[in-house]
Amino acid sequence: MIIREATPYDAPGIARVHVDSWRTTYAGLVPQDYIDSLTYERREEYWQHALDNPNNRSFVYVAQEGHGEIVGFTCGGPARPDEPAYKGELYAIYILKDQQGKGTGRNLFNAVVEKLAEMDLHSMLLWVLADNPACRFYETMGGRKVYERQEEMGGETLLEFGYGWDDTSTIPGGIRK
């Protein structure tokens, strides 16, 4: 498994992982109409634009199998402006269902933490649906619930948790300052 920074050429593979992960992870958690509205074409356009934008301060890493298939991705960057307590943010992490439980998530997660450290951002926040099974993973990685918010998605109001890391150097198995 190779973890590397994404390029604009990765947009189709990232889009496939993005849509397929939503279909398997969020079925039953978010309105099915919303999931059904996701398309590879729109996600590819989104990721192409994000990866081509030279002014974008965020970054994207992909997990790639030896034969070249992208099986997961993550993105992060500076925390959004409305977040004063945490300097960095893990915006998203998605892994194909058949690749979960193999260490891919941990490797992608640590890639974000390392990149944030390079940017001198040593605290981190992420938002996740409260019913997402990945909450256990974030807790294992040392995250603690620091916020709750309601998010509108597909006509329904869903609960999200904000997980925070005050000092990312303390993440189990992660980087050390």
Side-chain angles (χ1 to χ4, degrees):
M1 182 72 53
I2 297 167
I3 306 295
R4 62 171 176 78
E5 209 157 344
T7 72
Y9 297 108
D10 294 319
I14 294 170
R16 183 183 60 81
V17 170
H18 199 164
V19 171
D20 290 351
S21 294
W22 266 79
R23 289 177 179 163
T24 58
T25 302
Y26 296 119
L29 299 180
V30 302
Q32 190 61 43
D33 289 347
Y34 185 84
I35 294 172
D36 292 342
S37 74
L38 300 174
T39 66
Y40 297 127
E41 296 78 20
R42 282 195 298 237
R43 290 285 85 193
E44 182 176 343
E45 184 178 303
Y46 170 85
W47 286 109
Q48 188 71 50
H49 175 73
L51 293 167
D52 271 336
N53 183 352
N55 298 320
N56 193 346
R57 291 193 59 216
S58 65
F59 52 84
V60 180
Y61 283 91
V62 294
Q64 182 179 11
E65 289 202 306
H67 54 76
E69 179 186 8
I70 293 173
V71 298
F73 75 93
T74 190
C75 57
R80 291 165 232 212
D82 61 345
E83 178 45 54
Y86 297 92
K87 301 303 179 199
E89 187 170 344
L90 191 158
Y91 303 136
I93 185 168
Y94 294 104
I95 302 158
L96 294 176
K97 186 174 181 77
D98 67 348
Q99 295 296 314
Q100 294 174 9
K102 298 179 178 182
T104 305
R106 180 179 296 272
N107 290 333
L108 286 168
F109 183 94
N110 284 334
V112 169
V113 171
E114 290 172 13
K115 183 68 172 181
L116 290 173
E118 288 174 18
M119 299 168 73
D120 202 28
L121 304 172
H122 300 285
S123 59
M124 184 175 76
L125 178 72
L126 72 82
W127 287 99
V128 61
L129 287 175
D131 293 330
N132 188 327
C135 290
R136 289 186 303 277
F137 170 74
Y138 300 129
E139 291 165 4
T140 298
M141 297 302 287
R144 58 184 179 83
K145 290 179 205 168
V146 293
Y147 301 120
E148 289 185 11
R149 71 179 180 191
Q150 302 292 317
E151 189 69 27
E152 179 74 25
M153 192 175 301
E156 289 188 24
T157 302
L158 304 172
L159 178 63
E160 286 189 324
F161 292 144
Y163 280 88
W165 288 260
D166 295 329
D167 179 358
T168 54
S169 69
T170 65
I171 292 174
I175 63 164
R176 302 290 182 252
K177 286 196 264 188

